[in-house]
């Protein structure tokens, strides 16, 4: 089955390339899924779901490609998990309370992906409440990103840009740098449509906090289909913090340099077509709420003590919200959970400062 | 004449390598040194690769599906292969991959070199060997080759930023090491007096 799917995707990619304009036009733009023809005919290219709005790129796509460098492993040398299995929270014994997990809730479904496992695989092709998704983690930049996928799956290209994971999707073989979440040309697809993926938030928190928050969560199991030692993170450790995650050394250069903060300082970053903004996580923890500007729009960052994370909201009317314990009190006196203010949320994720500033050198940052 | 001469020289070299190996294996003290170094080197190699490390605990053996097809698949780099089995040994976890076999081969070469070097330094005349540090010097690249499979990890430890040249260099450490180790066996073997070998035997 997997082998057949692989051959089908490769055939589709090849046909798409051979098709030229036809392939390009049909790829990426169409939001509707087309079922495969049952009688003869080439398999239909599975499109990658993309967002309406394109995210900002720090340079032209072709220039970004030139910045790509080998991280050592070849294509799929770091294997994605394509058939993940999950366990009930009470059934796992390999996680310590302080171990990082990346949690997501959608509908009645709550899932946690341990950093320990994703450090070895970087990408999990999964399904979340009926939607095909890819959960991705780049150890070198400390970024977790969720993306929607349709029939395609994502893999690790083995290349890095700005020390950040460059994914590829197996249907179109286009490159998708993880932080930029936007297609760029690469050696396996010279002319992809330059569009951005549909993102969703995974919360970087600890196993202890996530279990308390979502007691019925399911957690990715170590039965990944691969032989790896998930107690041995090749880059260092987060619990306690050490190695690459703590020192001020880089393994690969950033696109742009910034000495505003130590390189591995964790910021909560948000970017739209209008600009980028970052809030150092420690500053947000201290301040509880912070204001800033994203592009030309005022934004509000809110700390969530339940999960030790934060959220960024568009706040064009600059309303005042204050964190009171675990709830946020609005200007009209009503209380809200930190992740449920009556404001438009902007997609936000943790990132090491060097990587955020490397990709978004003009970012606003507040402390 | 020249072909015959080259072939003759090759045979002579092979004979000397065999003689050196036999000598190392037959002398109890040299054998002990060689075995100890072989085991120590293999453990160090696997540890450097991350294939021998504290694990999740328990005792179990897990083999991936279709292990043979994955055995030759590169992982972290051209000479770092995909693990196909996991052995949990209580506090330790061992990952089996093609690198275990490569590491064993390297370890044997290092062990033989150091075993011979030991003989050279302790009993040069009795074994018909000249004094030489060739074996020891040639072992250094072999030890470094353990880093070839996990260059990025070594860079983390040393805090060095990777460059294309550096990563490429890591790839050559393994073949260079093998050549140097075999070369040092040949060089040491050249100093063996066959008649002395016979008398020892």
């Amino acid at each position: 089955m997997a082998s057949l799917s692989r051959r089908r995707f490769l055939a589709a990619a090849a046909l798409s390339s051979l098709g030229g304009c036809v392939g390009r036009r049909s790829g990426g733009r169409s939001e509707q899924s087309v079922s495969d023809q049952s009688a003869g005919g080439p398999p239909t290219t599975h499109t990658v779901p993309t967002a309406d709005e394109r995210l900002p790129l720090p340079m032209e796509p072709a220039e970004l490609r030139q910045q790509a460098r080998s991280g050592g492993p070849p294509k799929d040398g770091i294997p994605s998990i394509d058939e993940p299995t999950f366990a009930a929270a009470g059934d796992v014994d390999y996680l310590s309370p302080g171990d990082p997990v990346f949690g997501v809730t959608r509908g009645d479904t709550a899932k946690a992906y341990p950093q320990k496992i994703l450090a070895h695989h970087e990408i999990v092709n999964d399904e979340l409440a009926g939607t095909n998704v890819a959960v991705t983690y780049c150890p070198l930049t400390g970024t977790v990103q969720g993306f929607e996928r349709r029939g395609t799956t994502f893999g690790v290209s083995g290349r890095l840009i700005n020390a950040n994971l460059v994914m590829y999707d197996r249907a179109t073989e286009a490159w998708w740098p993880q932080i930029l979440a936007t297609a760029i040309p690469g050696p396996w697809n010279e002319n992809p449509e330059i569009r951005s993926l549909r993102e969703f938030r995974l919360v970087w928190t600890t196993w202890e906090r996530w279990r308390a928050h979502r007691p019925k969560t399911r957690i990715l199991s170590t039965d990944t289909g691969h032989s790896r030692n998930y107690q041995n993170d090749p880059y260092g450790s987060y619990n306690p913090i050490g190695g690459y995650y703590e020192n001020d050394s880089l393994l690969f250069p950033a696109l742009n340099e910034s000495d505003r903060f130590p390189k591995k300082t964790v910021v909560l970053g948000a970017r739209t077509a209008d600009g980028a903004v970052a809030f150092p996580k420690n500053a947000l923890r201290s301040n509880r709420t912070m204001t800033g500007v994203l592009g030309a729009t005022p934004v509000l960052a809110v700390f969530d003590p339940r999960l030790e994370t934060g959220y960024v909201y568009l706040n064009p009317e600059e309303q005042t919200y204050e964190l009171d314990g675990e709830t946020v009190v609005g200007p009209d006196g009503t209380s809200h959970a930190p992740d449920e203010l009556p404001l438009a949320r902007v997609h936000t994720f943790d990132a090491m400062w060097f990587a955020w500033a490397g990709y978004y050198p003009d970012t606003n940052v507040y402390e | 004449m020249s072909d015959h001469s080259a072939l003759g020289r090759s045979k002579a070299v092979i004979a000397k390598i065999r003689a050196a190996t036999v000598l190392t294996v037959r002398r109890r003290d040299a054998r002990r040194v060689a075995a100890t170094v072989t085991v120590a080197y293999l453990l160090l190699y696997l540890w450097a690769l991350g294939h021998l490390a504290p694990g999740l605990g328990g005792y179990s053996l897990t083999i991936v599906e279709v292990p043979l097809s994955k055995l030759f698949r590169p992982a972290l780099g051209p000479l770092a292969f995909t693990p196909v089995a996991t052995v949990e040994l209580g506090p330790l976890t061992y990952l089996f991959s093609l690198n275990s076999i490569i590491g064993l081969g390297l370890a044997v070469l290092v062990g033989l070199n150091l075993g011979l070097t030991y003989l050279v330094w302790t009993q040069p005349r009795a074994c018909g060997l000249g004094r030489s540090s060739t074996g020891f010097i040639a072992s250094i690249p072999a030890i470094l080759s353990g880093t070839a499979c996990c260059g990025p990890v070594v860079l983390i430890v040393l805090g060095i930023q990777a460059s294309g040249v550096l990563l490429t260099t890591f790839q050559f450490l393994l073949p260079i090491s093998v050549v140097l180790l075999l070369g040092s066996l040949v060089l040491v073997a050249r100093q063996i007096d066959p008649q002395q070998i016979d008398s020892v035997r």
Side-chain angles (χ1 to χ4, degrees), chain A residues 70-150:
Chain A
S70 169
K75 183 185 190 183
D76 288 328
I78 296 175
S80 58
I81 298 173
D82 297 326
E83 294 175 10
T85 61
F86 290 85
D91 290 344
V92 300
D93 59 359
Y94 67 89
L95 280 179
S96 300
D99 285 353
V101 299
F102 314 135
V104 59
T105 303
R106 187 173 288 198
D108 292 332
T109 301
K111 282 183 170 176
Y113 303 82
Q115 185 269 341
K116 268 179 160 126
I117 296 181
L118 264 71
H120 287 270
H121 297 285
E122 301 193 0
I123 295 177
V124 181
N125 291 292
D126 197 8
E127 175 257 326
L128 189 62
T131 302
N132 282 349
V133 299
V135 172
T136 71
Y137 166 59
C138 178
L140 293 175
T141 55
T143 46
V144 187
Q145 281 268 62
F147 302 113
E148 292 183 19
R149 61 183 180 93
R150 195 171 284 124

Side-chain angles (χ1 to χ4, degrees), chain B residues 8-110:
Chain B
R9 273 202 298 273
S10 298
K11 286 186 174 178
V13 165
I14 293 173
K16 287 186 183 298
I17 291 179
R18 187 189 306 115
T21 304
V22 167
L23 185 61
T24 304
V25 171
R26 288 193 177 182
R27 289 288 299 249
R28 181 179 297 107
D29 48 351
R31 183 169 65 231
R32 188 177 302 119
V33 169
T36 302
V37 170
T38 298
V39 171
Y41 182 82
L42 181 57
L43 294 180
L44 178 65
Y45 185 88
L46 293 175
W47 171 81
L49 189 59
H51 284 191
L52 185 65
L56 296 173
Y59 291 87
S60 67
L61 165 66
T62 308
I63 302 176
V64 302
E65 291 181 11
V66 203
L68 284 184
S69 72
K70 293 177 179 171
L71 191 62
F72 295 93
R73 182 183 301 174
L76 290 183
L79 289 170
F81 293 93
T82 298
V84 297
T86 306
V87 184
E88 301 280 1
L89 301 162
L92 279 184
T93 293
Y94 163 64
L95 304 177
F96 174 77
S97 72
L98 191 58
N99 287 105
S100 291
I101 299 170
I102 293 173
L104 179 60
L106 273 177
V108 168
L109 285 176
V110 175

Side-chain angles (χ1 to χ4, degrees), chain A residues 72-74 227-229 231 250-251 253, chain B residues 54-56 75-76 83-86 161-162:
Chain A
S227 275
R228 294 292 188 279
N229 181 353
Q231 194 67 8
L250 295 186
L251 285 180
Chain B
L56 296 173
L76 290 183
V84 297
T86 306
Q161 188 166 116

